């Protein structure tokens, strides 16, 4: 019988994609665990990492395996700066950069055995995830979101409301299209309730708050140390993960303001 921890990286066409939410306090290792999962999955899946302003992909252990992807218009507006000096950095001196004018062209250039780091603004992420459902291939995909609450906040604004409900439908279709999704949040209440309840697996790290109706006791979560986790699905088990002994991020992405 496959254990919950094994299901995080197992691929079975009869089951399809899986979904997992990682919960924990600040400094509990949520991003580290997400990077470790990406490292395990990239030899088989198209692993897509959401680029954010803090550029946490720089902590990925295999830096030579990173490729950055942008829509052409976004790349023209983006700039990167050294966190110590504040000076501009030519990102192409550090990483391979791919640009294209459509989601389809970006996606078709993505590779297994690499961390495909994709920058999109929030509105474009909704549309890109919908595109993945209707794509014309059956490659296994893993989506990695280090912080997800800005795409599915617990209290959506009027402008977000329709998009969040559409995202709920999209995530339900992921499993059938061989798409797995792994997300990080601090608190279960940060996430829109209908989407939070769709996740097949909950991964509790140090300082996490249990999700309502969980089989795991809060007192068990409270005893976790750094590098330990409890994975819950239909059952639950303890697991460990290794730290990432790399330098902290050295660049910060800045999106230029649009001209008025």
């Amino acid at each position: 019988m496959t254990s919950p921890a094994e299901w995080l990286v197992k691929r079975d066409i009869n089951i399809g994609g899986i979904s997992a939410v990682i919960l924990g306090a600040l400094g509990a290792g949520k991003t580290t665990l997400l990077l470790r999962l990406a490292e395990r999955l990239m030899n088989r899946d198209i692993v897509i990492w959401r680029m954010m302003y803090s550029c946490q992909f720089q902590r990925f252990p295999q830096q030579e395996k990173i490729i950055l992807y942008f829509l052409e218009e976004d790349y023209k507006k983006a700039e990167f700066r050294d966190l110590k000096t504040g000076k501009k950095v030519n990102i192409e001196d550090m990483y391979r950069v791919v640009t294209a004018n459509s989601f389809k062209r970006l996606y078709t250039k993505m590779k297994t055995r690499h961390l495909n780091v994709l920058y999109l603004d929030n509105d474009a992420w909704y549309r890109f995830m919908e595109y993945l459902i209707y794509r014309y291939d059956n490659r296994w995909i893993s989506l990695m979101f280090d912080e997800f609450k800005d795409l599915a906040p617990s209290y959506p604004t009027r402008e977000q409301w329709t998009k969040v409900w559409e995202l709920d439908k999209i995530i339900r279709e992921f499993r059938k299209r061989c798409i797995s999704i792994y997300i990080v949040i601090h608190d279960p209440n940060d996430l829109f309730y209908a989407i939070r309840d769709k996740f097949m697996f909950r991964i509790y790290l140090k300082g996490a708050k249990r999700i309502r109706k969980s089989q795991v006791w809060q007192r068990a979560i409270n005893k976790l140390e750094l590098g330990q986790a409890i994975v819950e699905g239909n059952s639950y088990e303890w697991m460990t993960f290794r730290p990432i002994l790399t330098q902290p991020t050295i660049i910060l992405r800045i999106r230029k303001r649009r001209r008025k």
Side-chain angles (χ1 to χ4, degrees), residues 4-56:
E6 291 173 327
W7 269 119
L8 295 178
V9 294
K10 181 181 175 65
R11 294 294 176 259
D12 183 338
I13 194 65
N14 296 310
I15 301 298
I18 67 106
S19 55
V21 54
I22 302 171
L23 302 112
L26 289 170
K30 299 184 297 298
T31 301
T32 295
L33 178 55
L34 195 66
L35 288 164
R36 287 299 187 196
L37 287 170
E39 191 177 23
R40 287 281 305 275
L41 291 164
M42 71 179 191
N43 288 331
R44 180 175 45 200
D45 292 10
I46 302 294
V47 175
I48 304 174
W49 181 278
R50 179 193 182 197
M51 182 192 293
M52 298 182 70
Y53 71 94
S54 57
C55 296
Q56 290 293 308

Side-chain angles (χ1 to χ4, degrees), residues 200-232:
M200 299 163 62
F201 297 95
R202 280 76 58 195
I203 308 174
Y204 297 109
L205 275 59
K206 181 179 175 65
K209 296 179 181 179
R210 68 188 287 273
I211 290 179
R212 190 169 58 90
K213 298 182 180 179
S214 172
Q215 304 173 72
V216 180
W217 288 359
Q218 185 64 51
R219 71 180 72 171
I221 298 171
N222 293 345
K223 292 181 179 180
L224 291 170
E225 300 293 338
L226 288 176
Q228 297 178 335
I230 299 174
V231 185
E232 180 187 25

Side-chain angles (χ1 to χ4, degrees), residues 12-260:
D12 183 338
I13 194 65
N14 296 310
I15 301 298
I18 67 106
S19 55
V21 54
I22 302 171
L23 302 112
L26 289 170
K30 299 184 297 298
T31 301
T32 295
L33 178 55
L34 195 66
L35 288 164
R36 287 299 187 196
L37 287 170
E39 191 177 23
R40 287 281 305 275
L41 291 164
M42 71 179 191
N43 288 331
R44 180 175 45 200
D45 292 10
I46 302 294
V47 175
I48 304 174
W49 181 278
R50 179 193 182 197
M51 182 192 293
M52 298 182 70
Y53 71 94
S54 57
C55 296
Q56 290 293 308
F57 62 84
Q58 293 172 94
R59 298 180 54 223
F60 189 63
Q62 302 181 54
Q63 289 287 292
E64 73 282 1
K65 298 291 187 180
I66 291 175
I67 305 175
L68 308 185
Y69 296 82
F70 297 84
L71 290 172
E72 290 173 354
E73 287 302 309
D74 288 333
Y75 191 55
K76 292 175 183 177
K77 299 171 187 173
E79 67 179 43
F80 296 82
R81 291 184 179 269
D82 187 296
L83 285 176
K84 293 181 179 179
T85 66
K87 293 181 179 179
K88 290 183 181 179
V89 172
N90 184 352
I91 196 66
E92 294 184 41
D93 290 339
M94 304 174 67
Y95 298 102
R96 179 182 170 192
V97 175
V98 174
T99 63
N101 60 8
S102 69
F103 295 150
K104 180 179 179 180
R105 291 182 179 179
L106 279 179
Y107 169 70
T108 54
K109 293 179 180 181
M110 292 180 177
K111 303 174 180 293
T112 57
R113 300 184 177 84
H114 289 78
L115 186 69
N116 301 283
V117 178
L118 175 61
Y119 172 75
L120 295 171
D121 62 30
N122 286 353
D123 286 347
W125 268 109
Y126 297 120
R127 291 183 280 115
F128 177 71
M129 287 189 278
E130 184 177 36
Y131 161 77
L132 291 179
I133 292 173
Y134 295 105
R135 75 193 192 284
Y136 291 105
D137 71 50
N138 284 316
R139 297 193 294 177
W140 288 95
I141 296 173
S142 285
L143 295 171
M144 303 284 183
F145 290 89
D146 187 8
E147 297 296 341
F148 196 69
K149 66 179 182 179
D150 49 340
L151 291 176
S154 53
Y155 297 101
T157 64
R158 182 180 298 178
E159 293 75 18
Q160 289 174 314
W161 188 260
T162 300
K163 294 171 184 174
V164 170
W165 274 113
E166 287 300 316
L167 181 58
D168 174 51
K169 297 175 185 176
I170 288 168
I171 291 175
R172 277 186 274 152
E173 293 296 319
F174 276 173
R175 184 182 63 80
K176 305 169 191 175
R177 296 293 286 120
C178 299
I179 301 169
S180 295
I181 180 170
Y182 304 80
I183 73 167
V184 165
I185 57 173
H186 294 294
D187 187 310
N189 295 322
D190 288 342
L191 204 60
F192 189 63
Y193 74 95
I195 290 176
R196 179 188 62 218
D197 295 342
K198 294 291 186 299
F199 282 81
M200 299 163 62
F201 297 95
R202 280 76 58 195
I203 308 174
Y204 297 109
L205 275 59
K206 181 179 175 65
K209 296 179 181 179
R210 68 188 287 273
I211 290 179
R212 190 169 58 90
K213 298 182 180 179
S214 172
Q215 304 173 72
V216 180
W217 288 359
Q218 185 64 51
R219 71 180 72 171
I221 298 171
N222 293 345
K223 292 181 179 180
L224 291 170
E225 300 293 338
L226 288 176
Q228 297 178 335
I230 299 174
V231 185
E232 180 187 25
N234 291 329
S235 60
Y236 60 90
E237 67 171 324
W238 275 256
M239 65 172 281
T240 60
F241 58 96
R242 293 176 293 122
I244 295 176
L245 303 177
T246 59
Q247 296 296 317
T249 56
I250 58 172
I251 57 172
L252 179 73
R253 184 194 60 78
I254 299 174
R255 189 178 184 190
K256 294 181 180 178
R257 294 181 179 179
R258 295 180 180 179
R259 293 180 180 177
K260 293 182 179 180

